């Protein structure tokens, strides 16, 4: 009788952190890992619990904030969108390429996704049609045996996608219950990433119309659905068509990606309760996620205050803000009239730089002079990050466990109802897919396949209209539209774990060095087009006069380094390449590290 191995201990560790708890209203994932397969799959309740436990392997950007020492900042700190104030954060090692395949801090993604694949295949091999029957019922629970199998197939495809995103080439494990300690079983050749992404899309086709497109019962909120399958196919084919996996620039691949995104849009339009852009960009990230029509799939719900305590300025009691949005990101937000700050007639005033900006800026970034705190509790005041000298600085510039290197703090995801004197917890859900991404996927893929045709404008303008931003101008060239789409993705999806992968799939770092970017900055004074040189603002006050001096930031990890092709992918863990040499190693990484 085989005994299940204990899995996903990180989730338990996070639950033990003060201020962190899982919400048990949706997708109860607990099951007894000591039970035998015969026991589990011979029982309907335990079979369901085993399936829902697979969901613990899905991507999660909330739980990391509970790791106060090493990860308590947005992973966008590994991009030009932000840096981190905390010197011990692992993101610094990624930014300066100071890690190896032995000590890389993010290698857990390898085990997490292989573990998820193993559990999905274990479920598919053992689910018993005599226990989980295919009864024709009204609602979500119709043909449960088929639905449960479809869920497991789709989850398995998602884990394969994640492996490709971080590690490139990957084995396709469509029927193997993998034992990662079995050297012979693990010693396999990885398949080309483009082929794996195509296989992921094909897996989505197998199940996308078997699953309910959108569940009607709140008890199934958080489960993968037909809409999830359409969304995953859209993202997988977009990545496959991009420069990194499509070096020959095959237009047909872009058209396939455009067709996949359009298939979601068309299928969604047929629904009585379709997905739609949420009515408030700001509130979308902290209001009750299960009432949000934009969220296609979200990773669980954490009842926590770790987001608030780890991103808000340290001038507020108990706050330790460590995620510092960059001037690079701030400059990417247009003026409210749709012009960039460096364009003629933009209306930008360098002495009053935060007036009349894209509304998403105010929902994303806390800046000098921004009002924060509950007025009903007497806690509302202006953010103060001025820094004249070591003895004359604002209350929010730095504290013992937090501060800002850039002059900015992260606002996105933070619940404004926080009471600094009586700190409670709030429900936070990590969004994996939302409808705005589908529209942006469609715009990007269609522009690459056909140029800036009318549907490209339609899709991107839908996203802009939600925040009352003007439509993009007509007459843009394909290259100009490409730049606008990429910038739109940046500001719309920032701090949601997209930028890290977007820059890599576009091969944006080719030909970039810190030194060349610094020299270019001396010429153009712009940060929005810099990837390695991170900008900020030094706010200085003299009486009633406030000056905003743009500056190059000295980051905790030193100057950023991006070695091509090495840093486009994470390395296969060294121990895995020793045990299983057929896995090989990614370009630029030594198999002997």
């Amino acid at each position: 009788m085989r005994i299940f191995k204990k899995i996903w201990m990180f989730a338990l560790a996070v639950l033990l952190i003060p201020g962190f708890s899982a919400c048990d209203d949706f997708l109860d994932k607990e099951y007894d890992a000591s039970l035998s397969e015969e026991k589990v799959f011979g029982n309907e309740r335990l079979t369901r619990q085993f399936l829902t436990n697979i969901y613990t392997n899905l991507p999660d950007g909330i739980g990391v904030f509970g790791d106060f020492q090493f990860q308590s900042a947005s992973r966008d700190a590994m991009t030009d969108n932000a840096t981190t104030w905390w010197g011990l954060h692992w993101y610094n090692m990624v930014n300066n390429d100071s890690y190896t395949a032995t000590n890389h801090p993010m290698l857990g993604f390898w085990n997490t996704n292989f573990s998820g694949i193993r559990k999905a295949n274990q479920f598919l091999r053992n689910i018993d049609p005599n226990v989980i029957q295919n009864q024709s019922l009204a609602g979500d629970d119709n043909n449960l045996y088929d639905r449960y199998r479809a869920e497991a197939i789709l989850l398995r495809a998602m884990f394969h996608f994640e492996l490709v995103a971080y590690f490139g080439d990957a084995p396709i494990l469509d029927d193997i219950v993998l034992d990662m300690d079995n050297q012979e079983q693990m010693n396999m050749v990885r398949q080309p990433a483009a082929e794996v992404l195509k296989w992921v899309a094909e897996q989505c086709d197998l199940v996308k119309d078997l699953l309910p497109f959108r569940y009607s019962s709140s008890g199934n909120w958080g489960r993968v659905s037909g809409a999830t399958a359409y969304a995953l196919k859209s993202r997988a084919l977009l990545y496959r068509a991009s420069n990194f996996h499509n070096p020959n620039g095959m237009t047909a691949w872009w058209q396939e990606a455009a067709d996949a995104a359009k298939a979601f849009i068309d299928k969604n339009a047929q629904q009585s309760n379709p997905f739609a852009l949420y009515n408030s960009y700001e509130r979308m990230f902290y209001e009750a996620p299960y009432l949000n029509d934009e969220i296609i799939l979200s990773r669980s719900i954490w009842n926590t205050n770790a987001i608030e305590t780890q991103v808000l300025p340290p001038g507020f009691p108990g706050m330790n803000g460590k995620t510092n949005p960059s001037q690079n990101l701030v400059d990417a937000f247009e003026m409210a009239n749709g012009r960039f700050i460096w364009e003629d007639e933009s209306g930008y005033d360098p002495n009053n730089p935060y007036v009349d900006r894209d509304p998403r800026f105010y929902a994303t970034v806390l800046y000098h002079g921004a009002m924060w705190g509950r007025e009903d509790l007497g806690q509302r005041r202006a953010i103060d990050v001025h820094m004249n000298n070591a003895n004359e600085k604002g209350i929010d510039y730095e504290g013992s466990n937090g501060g800002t290197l850039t002059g900015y703090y992260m606002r996105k995801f933070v619940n404004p109802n926080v009471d600094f004197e009586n700190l409670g917890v709030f429900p936070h859900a990590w969004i994996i897919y939302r409808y705005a991404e589908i529209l942006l996927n469609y715009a990007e893929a269609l522009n690459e396949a056909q140029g800036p045709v009318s549907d490209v404008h339609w899709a991107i303008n839908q996203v802009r209209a939600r925040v009352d931003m003007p439509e993009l101008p007509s007459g843009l060239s394909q290259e100009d539209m490409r730049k606008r789409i990429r910038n739109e993705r940046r500001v719309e999806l920032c701090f949601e774990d997209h930028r890290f992968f977007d820059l890599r799939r576009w091969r944006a770092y080719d030909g970039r060095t810190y030194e060349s970017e610094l020299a270019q900055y001396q010429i153009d004074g712009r940060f929005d087009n810099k990837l390695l040189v991170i900008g900020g603002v030094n706010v200085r006050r003299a009486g009633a006069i406030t000056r905003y001096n743009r500056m190059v930031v000295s980051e905790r990890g030193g100057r950023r380094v991006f070695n091509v092709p090495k840093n486009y992918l994470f390395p296969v863990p060294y121990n895995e390449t020793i045990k299983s040499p057929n896995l090989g190693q990614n370009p630029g990484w030594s198999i002997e590290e």
Side-chain angles (χ1 to χ4, degrees):
M1 181 178 294
R2 290 181 290 173
I3 304 297
F4 292 145
K5 293 185 177 181
K6 292 183 179 179
I7 53 178
W8 197 246
M9 296 308 294
F10 174 73
L12 176 59
V14 169
L15 291 177
L16 296 177
I17 296 173
F20 248 101
S21 67
C23 181
D24 59 4
D25 293 333
F26 306 97
L27 275 185
D28 179 9
K29 300 178 181 65
E30 294 184 6
Y31 82 105
D32 188 343
S34 69
L35 297 176
S36 68
E37 287 182 342
E38 291 82 358
K39 179 74 171 179
V40 169
F41 293 104
N43 179 279
E44 180 179 2
R45 179 179 60 85
L46 293 177
T47 298
R48 180 183 176 94
Q49 287 183 350
F50 186 95
L51 173 62
T52 54
N53 180 268
I54 302 173
Y55 284 78
T56 60
N57 290 65
L58 286 176
D60 179 21
I62 299 295
V64 295
F65 282 91
D67 180 2
F68 302 143
Q69 191 78 316
F70 299 113
Q71 297 185 85
S72 53
S74 168
R75 287 193 283 247
D76 265 21
M78 295 187 290
T79 77
D80 54 337
N81 279 351
T83 187
T84 171
W85 184 88
W86 194 245
L88 294 177
H89 276 161
W90 290 336
Y91 311 132
N92 294 309
M93 297 174 64
V94 175
N95 289 336
N96 62 25
D97 191 19
S98 61
Y99 54 87
T100 70
T102 300
N103 66 1
H104 192 295
M106 303 294 178
L107 295 183
F109 292 120
W110 178 272
N111 290 332
T112 295
N113 288 293
F114 270 111
S115 170
I117 292 168
R118 182 185 189 277
K119 288 192 288 185
N121 281 337
Q122 193 172 8
F123 180 86
L124 290 167
R125 178 175 294 184
N126 289 284
I127 182 173
D128 188 341
N130 295 314
V131 175
I132 306 297
Q133 299 182 4
N134 254 348
Q135 294 177 309
S136 296
L137 301 171
D140 296 340
D141 290 340
N142 181 47
N143 295 329
L144 271 184
Y145 176 80
D146 288 343
R147 197 195 90 187
Y148 284 0
R149 283 185 53 83
E151 285 185 53
I153 289 170
L154 185 51
L155 288 165
R156 182 180 64 189
M158 292 181 70
F159 300 136
H160 277 83
F161 174 85
E162 291 294 315
L163 279 175
V164 169
Y166 285 107
F167 301 100
D169 298 350
I172 294 176
L173 304 171
D174 55 359
D175 61 357
I176 301 175
V177 179
L178 197 66
D179 182 353
M180 296 184 68
D181 294 325
N182 186 322
Q183 182 175 341
E184 182 178 352
Q185 193 180 41
M186 280 295 296
N187 194 23
M188 63 189 78
V189 176
R190 294 184 290 157
Q191 302 301 309
E195 293 181 13
V196 181
L197 292 172
K198 180 65 171 176
W199 176 86
V200 167
E202 291 168 349
Q203 294 292 291
C204 293
D205 285 337
L206 290 177
V207 302
K208 69 181 192 296
D209 295 319
L210 290 177
L211 291 163
F213 188 78
R214 185 175 184 181
Y215 291 103
S216 58
S217 168
S218 62
N220 286 316
W221 185 88
R223 288 190 176 277
V224 294
S225 61
T228 306
Y230 279 89
L232 173 58
K233 181 178 180 181
S234 169
R235 189 186 292 182
L237 291 181
L238 183 78
Y239 277 43
R240 173 176 174 259
S242 299
N243 298 11
F244 191 70
H245 300 301
N246 184 17
N248 296 322
M250 289 184 281
T251 303
W253 285 17
W254 283 111
Q255 188 61 54
E256 287 183 39
D259 291 344
K262 187 60 162 57
F264 182 106
I265 294 168
D266 291 345
K267 183 76 172 181
N268 186 55
Q270 300 169 9
Q271 308 302 308
S272 59
N273 185 26
F275 295 96
L277 296 174
Y278 200 56
N279 58 13
S280 168
Y281 181 84
E282 175 188 348
R283 297 197 307 272
M284 172 171 57
F285 300 103
Y286 64 79
E287 287 190 336
Y290 42 87
L291 301 178
N292 189 328
D293 284 337
E294 185 162 347
I295 297 176
I296 299 166
L297 180 67
S298 176
R299 164 68 165 81
S300 191
I301 295 178
W302 292 112
N303 284 321
T304 179
N305 56 40
I307 294 289
E308 286 72 25
T309 60
Q310 296 305 304
V311 303
L312 287 175
F316 293 97
M319 302 299 107
N320 302 294
K322 296 182 178 71
T323 301
N324 302 161
S326 64
Q327 193 69 48
N328 313 46
L329 174 63
V330 170
D331 289 354
F333 287 95
E334 302 165 22
M335 299 296 289
N337 60 17
R339 294 183 179 274
F340 290 103
I341 63 172
W342 58 84
E343 291 184 305
D344 293 338
E345 301 180 6
S346 70
Y348 175 72
D349 180 1
N351 294 316
N352 203 359
Y354 311 123
V355 172
D356 293 332
R357 302 295 289 269
D358 180 332
R360 289 171 292 191
F361 168 72
Y362 305 108
T364 302
V365 177
L366 287 174
Y367 53 91
H368 183 78
M371 298 301 296
W372 189 258
R374 288 177 57 175
E375 191 165 7
D376 63 321
L377 298 176
Q379 298 173 356
R380 190 167 181 80
R381 63 169 177 80
I383 304 295
D384 184 357
V385 295
H386 89 274
M387 173 59 172
N388 290 359
N389 54 61
N391 297 317
E392 190 180 345
K393 56 189 175 183
I395 189 174
D396 297 307
Y397 181 74
E398 66 180 354
S400 58
N401 293 305
T404 180
L405 300 175
T406 64
Y408 302 106
Y409 289 95
M410 180 173 143
R411 160 72 176 86
K412 198 170 184 177
F413 303 111
V414 176
N415 194 307
N417 295 310
V418 60
D419 177 358
F420 298 112
E421 301 299 330
N422 185 22
L423 196 60
V425 296
F426 301 99
H428 287 286
W430 183 249
I431 299 173
I432 299 175
Y433 303 108
R434 60 183 177 98
Y435 186 57
E437 182 202 344
I438 303 300
L439 293 170
L440 293 172
N441 290 353
Y442 183 48
E444 179 180 351
L446 191 61
N447 183 59
E448 297 296 339
Q450 300 182 22
V453 296
S454 60
D455 254 19
V456 175
H457 284 265
W458 170 83
I460 195 169
N461 286 332
Q462 290 279 308
V463 177
R464 294 170 65 83
R466 187 249 298 276
V467 291
D468 295 323
M469 286 296 289
E471 294 185 350
L472 292 185
S474 59
L476 293 175
S477 68
Q478 184 183 46
E479 175 60 22
D480 287 340
M481 179 59 82
R482 179 182 296 122
K483 291 178 181 178
R484 296 304 292 260
I485 291 170
R486 291 183 177 186
N487 194 75
E488 197 71 26
R489 286 186 70 92
R490 181 180 193 177
V491 299
E492 173 72 23
L493 303 174
C494 62
F495 303 121
E496 297 179 54
D497 280 4
H498 285 275
R499 184 70 172 171
F500 180 87
F501 300 110
D502 282 347
L503 291 173
R504 282 159 173 76
R505 67 183 176 85
W506 295 330
R507 294 195 66 102
Y509 291 98
D510 284 6
R512 300 274 189 147
T513 66
Y514 184 95
E515 291 73 20
S516 64
E517 286 195 349
L518 187 60
Q520 185 62 36
Y521 172 71
Q522 305 303 326
I523 298 172
D524 64 18
R526 286 172 55 178
F527 284 114
D528 66 288
N529 56 3
K530 309 299 187 292
L531 301 181
L532 301 174
V533 172
I534 300 302
V537 61
N538 170 228
V539 181
R540 302 180 72 85
R541 287 201 322 211
I545 299 175
T546 301
R547 298 295 185 193
Y548 299 87
N549 301 313
R550 295 158 68 86
M551 64 178 185
V552 174
V553 170
S554 295
E555 295 189 80
R556 298 299 193 202
R559 290 188 173 190
R560 295 196 179 194
V561 175
F562 197 99
N563 289 305
V564 176
K566 178 186 179 185
N567 298 134
Y568 275 122
L569 295 170
F570 286 169
V572 177
Y574 170 75
N575 288 341
E576 300 299 329
T577 62
I578 295 301
K579 292 187 300 182
S580 309
N582 286 342
L583 288 171
Q585 186 52 279
N586 285 328
W589 296 94
S590 172
I591 200 148
E592 298 178 355
E593 288 185 278

